[in-house]
Amino acid sequence: MIQVTKPFFPPLEEYSEYLKGAWDREWITNNGPLVNRLEEELISYLGIDNLLFTGNGTIALQIAIKALELKGEIITTPFTYVATASSIFWEGCTPVFVDIDNSTFNIDSDKIESAITDQTSAILATHVFGNPCEVERIGEIARRNNLKVIYDAAHCFGTTFKGKSIFNWGDISTASFHATKIYHTVEGGAVISSNSNLFQRMRYMRNFGHDGPYKFNGVGINGKNSELHAAMGLTNLKYIDEILHKREQQFLFYKECLEGLELEFQKPESEAEINHSYFPIVLSNEEVTGKLELELAENEIFARRYFYPSLNTLDYLSGEVPISEDIAARILCLPLYHDLKNSEQAKICDIISGCIE
């Protein structure tokens, strides 16, 4: 069986060594030494100013929205995982969908300004499949209209733009370290901001507002993560360069095998180095997409229709975004994980070739 993705499992003895330390200290949560060490090592590895390790990527989004005190309408993308839009809705704001670019799959910057109203407080965009949005242009639009910017960078560990981590852009970037991601802590996420005041506010918010054992600074929530998850993050960080290199080789192998077929591929943003965390293909129509998904499944190969359906079609959301609906109906992400073999990729490509000819 070939799944669309698979978590990276580091050597158990290396993970166990971190756990032994936690056992010896009898300290497994509440911002322990492993959490602090992981945050320091991630800041150093990524070349960013500040990072808070959170329970998951969704609570990171919710903390970001709350910390920026966003109200009213937030412009966002309909082509992303549901957590992006549901976090906006959950925090009492209204998601306003702007359609996507049909080649990068990111929010179309040309269409943002026409969606801004006197109720708009922010832009929350997703770097889809680790491909950066037009961050400089979105930043200009935000400054011109006095808006905040949050980037859902859940797919972006290792992605750079102009040589710097993509986490450096926006008022706040959020990350996901879920087990399906290229870098994971089993469950986990992060908020990242170079604004020290904003960062301190999020630090309070992550821990119920605690400012010491008996003092509180504003409202907060439990957004913390544990020593056990930090231990996995520290162990996996030793292997991330190897994982990124392997993904790039697998990505290029797919591109070579599928060259010349009637398929569309995501266009990387110029001046970006993507992390090759996904391999999406766009087929000619939804019927062919469904046929290929079924044929792969009959061979115990499970591709996935990220991100289907387009979020504007959910029962609590709305919007007219024809390009998002069109791409969502025709896209399949092919299996991609660190130990996927070239022979397995070749088999997948043979099935694709046979199905669409």
Side-chain angles (χ1 to χ4, degrees):
M1 180 184 297
I2 301 175
Q3 296 289 355
V4 67
T5 189
K6 193 165 71 173
F8 174 76
F9 283 84
L12 183 57
E13 59 273 18
E14 293 186 21
Y15 180 52
S16 299
E17 190 62 30
Y18 284 110
L19 296 185
K20 183 178 182 304
W23 256 245
D24 291 344
R25 289 185 291 275
E26 298 183 330
W27 191 349
I28 55 174
T29 189
N30 287 347
N31 300 319
L34 294 181
V35 166
N36 291 327
R37 180 174 167 186
L38 177 64
E39 290 176 343
E40 290 171 2
E41 291 198 12
L42 288 174
I43 287 168
S44 174
Y45 179 82
L46 295 165
I48 55 180
D49 294 324
N50 302 296
L51 176 147
L52 287 174
F53 185 38
T54 61
N56 55 64
T58 304
I59 196 69
L61 283 167
Q62 292 176 233
I63 289 173
I65 293 168
K66 189 75 79 180
L68 289 168
E69 301 178 335
L70 302 183
K71 309 286 184 190
E73 298 174 353
I74 298 178
I75 289 172
T76 191
T77 172
F79 190 72
T80 179
Y81 185 59
V82 68
T84 314
S86 65
S87 294
I88 296 171
F89 197 83
W90 192 274
E91 290 301 322
C93 299
T94 303
V96 175
F97 290 124
V98 165
D99 212 348
I100 61 171
D101 181 279
N102 64 4
S103 60
T104 67
F105 308 159
N106 289 325
I107 193 168
D108 188 337
S109 300
D110 288 339
K111 297 173 181 170
I112 289 177
E113 289 213 88
S114 62
I116 295 172
T117 72
D118 58 5
Q119 299 297 308
T120 307
S121 61
I123 300 165
L124 199 172
T126 300
H127 304 302
V128 176
F129 302 137
N131 186 29
C133 297
E134 292 181 299
V135 290
E136 292 178 328
R137 184 149 184 226
I138 290 173
E140 289 172 7
I141 293 169
R143 282 190 290 276
R144 203 161 48 239
N145 293 278
N146 196 29
L147 303 177
K148 302 296 185 185
V149 178
I150 300 172
Y151 285 112
D152 180 347
H155 309 161
C156 285
F157 198 97
T159 290
T160 61
F161 177 72
K162 292 190 172 180
K164 296 181 179 178
S165 170
I166 195 62
F167 294 147
N168 283 297
W169 271 265
D171 293 283
I172 300 173
S173 282
T174 66
S176 171
F177 303 148
H178 185 260
T180 56
K181 298 298 187 291
I182 198 165
Y183 168 79
H184 77 87
T185 60
V186 185
E187 289 278 1
V191 288
I192 299 121
S193 177
S194 58
N195 182 321
S196 56
N197 291 331
L198 186 56
F199 183 74
Q200 184 59 40
R201 190 181 309 156
M202 292 193 290
R203 184 186 293 279
Y204 291 133
M205 285 182 167
R206 182 184 62 165
N207 188 24
F208 302 100
H210 269 290
D211 184 11
Y214 306 117
K215 183 181 173 187
F216 292 87
N217 188 317
V219 67
I221 196 168
N222 186 1
K224 297 181 277 85
N225 211 323
S226 78
E227 293 289 274
L228 311 190
H229 292 83
M232 180 61 80
L234 287 164
T235 315
N236 281 344
L237 195 58
K238 298 174 185 174
Y239 295 90
I240 188 61
D241 287 339
E242 177 184 327
I243 294 168
L244 288 166
H245 176 70
K246 184 69 176 177
R247 288 289 185 109
E248 181 179 13
Q249 299 304 308
Q250 292 166 330
F251 186 97
L252 295 174
F253 188 86
Y254 267 138
K255 282 294 291 285
E256 183 178 346
C257 287
L258 298 173
E259 195 70 42
L261 298 181
E262 189 181 348
L263 296 169
E264 299 168 35
F265 302 106
Q266 184 183 29
K267 178 185 175 185
E269 193 57 53
S270 60
E271 300 188 80
E273 289 289 334
I274 61 171
N275 61 1
H276 308 97
S277 55
Y278 295 83
F279 195 92
I281 58 173
V282 179
L283 294 116
S284 57
N285 59 60
E286 187 166 11
E287 182 181 354
V288 172
T289 307
K291 178 184 169 190
L292 175 58
E293 183 182 24
L294 182 61
E295 192 150 333
L296 288 168
E298 287 173 349
N299 285 275
E300 296 200 323
I301 299 166
F302 298 96
R304 185 165 175 185
R305 298 176 72 175
Y306 295 102
F307 294 102
Y308 177 82
S310 181
L311 294 180
N312 60 300
T313 65
L314 302 190
D315 59 3
Y316 60 94
L317 300 170
S318 62
E320 291 187 19
V321 283
I323 297 173
S324 176
E325 290 185 19
D326 175 54
I327 296 294
R330 298 190 290 125
I331 197 166
L332 272 185
C333 280
L334 302 184
L336 193 61
Y337 45 85
H338 62 283
D339 60 356
L340 182 69
K341 299 178 178 64
N342 283 166
S343 59
E344 294 170 319
Q345 290 185 269
K347 179 180 178 182
I348 292 167
C349 294
D350 284 345
I351 293 171
I352 295 171
S353 179
C355 186
I356 67 176
E357 279 183 348

